[in-house]
Amino acid sequence: MPLASRIHPIRSGRPSRTRRSRRAVGAALAAVLAVGLTACAPDAVSDSFLSGENTGYVAADGAIKEIPVAERGEPIDFSGVTEDGEAFDSADIAGQVTVVNFWYAGCAPCRVEAGDLESVWQEYEDQGVSFVGINTRDQADTAKAFSTEFGITYPSLIDVDTAQAKLAFAAETPIQATPTTLVLDKQGRVAALIIGPIDGTSILSTLVKDALAESA
């Protein structure tokens, strides 16, 4: 099921008005996007947009990519320590579909999507699915306060000091924007990714369901 978003140009019978409209819309969009990206800067994607390069920019509704089974890379082994001080190793959840969300507390889109992530987790937690957050900037107390505020019940690894977990994913899918959400298949390979906030529960729920339906 291909998931994509399209932007349709505004048509007009008057070329000069069209050009003026496009300039106005472009300026307005640039202002809005610059504000939104500043909340989660500095990421490579944010920096490129704010510097005017506009390379790798991710729209507010996220960029979604599903990877066919035959084109997936190697399984990703990752580990770390959770906000509660507990050791985590992906070997402990081998054979499960896993959702991995990269986030930090000061990222406004991360706060917006938090409740939707928890909802999808609640939907699938008894169906062989694990959720793991990877907090890239905060210490444990800040991460725990965030989880309490937004009712998050799945664990997050505190990765700010070592970047150990983030580096584990770098060979297969470098994380260049926050938030980013990955769906790993039962073999631990990246099956799908959403760059930017998940924008509701339906898309992520579908991606998880698709991964669950695959043979082990």
Side-chain angles (χ1 to χ4, degrees):
M1 177 185 62
L3 298 169
S5 55
R6 297 182 176 86
I7 299 176
H8 299 285
I10 299 173
R11 300 186 182 274
S12 170
R14 299 180 180 180
S16 60
R17 179 174 297 178
T18 300
R19 287 193 293 270
R20 288 197 299 271
S21 298
R22 286 174 178 170
R23 285 196 296 269
V25 170
L29 282 174
V32 171
L33 297 175
V35 171
L37 285 169
T38 301
C40 294
D43 281 323
V45 174
S46 302
D47 291 344
S48 68
F49 178 82
L50 293 174
S51 68
E53 297 173 11
N54 201 30
T55 57
Y57 172 66
V58 178
D61 58 351
I64 302 129
K65 180 180 180 182
E66 293 184 87
I67 304 172
V69 174
E71 298 176 15
R72 293 175 192 169
E74 295 298 315
I76 299 174
D77 297 320
F78 63 103
S79 60
V81 178
T82 73
E83 69 270 67
D84 292 322
E86 299 178 356
F88 171 90
D89 194 300
S90 58
D92 298 334
I93 55 173
Q96 297 188 18
V97 170
T98 303
V99 175
V100 180
N101 175 254
F102 289 82
W103 69 282
Y104 61 93
C107 167
C110 301
R111 301 172 73 85
V112 170
E113 72 173 2
D116 292 330
L117 287 165
E118 176 66 19
S119 293
V120 180
W121 160 235
Q122 293 288 344
E123 180 181 359
Y124 289 101
E125 64 173 320
D126 296 326
Q127 301 182 41
V129 175
S130 290
F131 268 56
V132 181
I134 296 180
N135 187 305
T136 59
R137 298 195 186 181
D138 302 320
Q139 296 297 335
D141 287 347
T142 301
K144 288 168 72 172
F146 182 98
S147 294
T148 298
E149 179 180 356
F150 292 97
I152 304 300
T153 60
Y154 56 85
S156 282
L157 308 185
I158 303 303
D159 206 42
V160 61
D161 293 325
T162 65
Q164 176 182 342
K166 190 172 182 178
L167 287 172
F169 286 87
E172 296 298 329
T173 177
I175 306 303
Q176 296 180 312
T178 306
T180 291
T181 301
L182 310 177
V183 178
L184 308 184
D185 64 17
K186 296 170 186 177
Q187 287 76 40
R189 304 169 300 182
V190 178
L193 64 159
I194 302 173
I195 305 173
I198 66 171
D199 192 27
T201 62
S202 61
I203 291 173
L204 180 58
S205 180
T206 298
L207 295 174
V208 171
K209 187 183 300 182
D210 289 348
L212 277 173
E214 295 173 0
S215 58

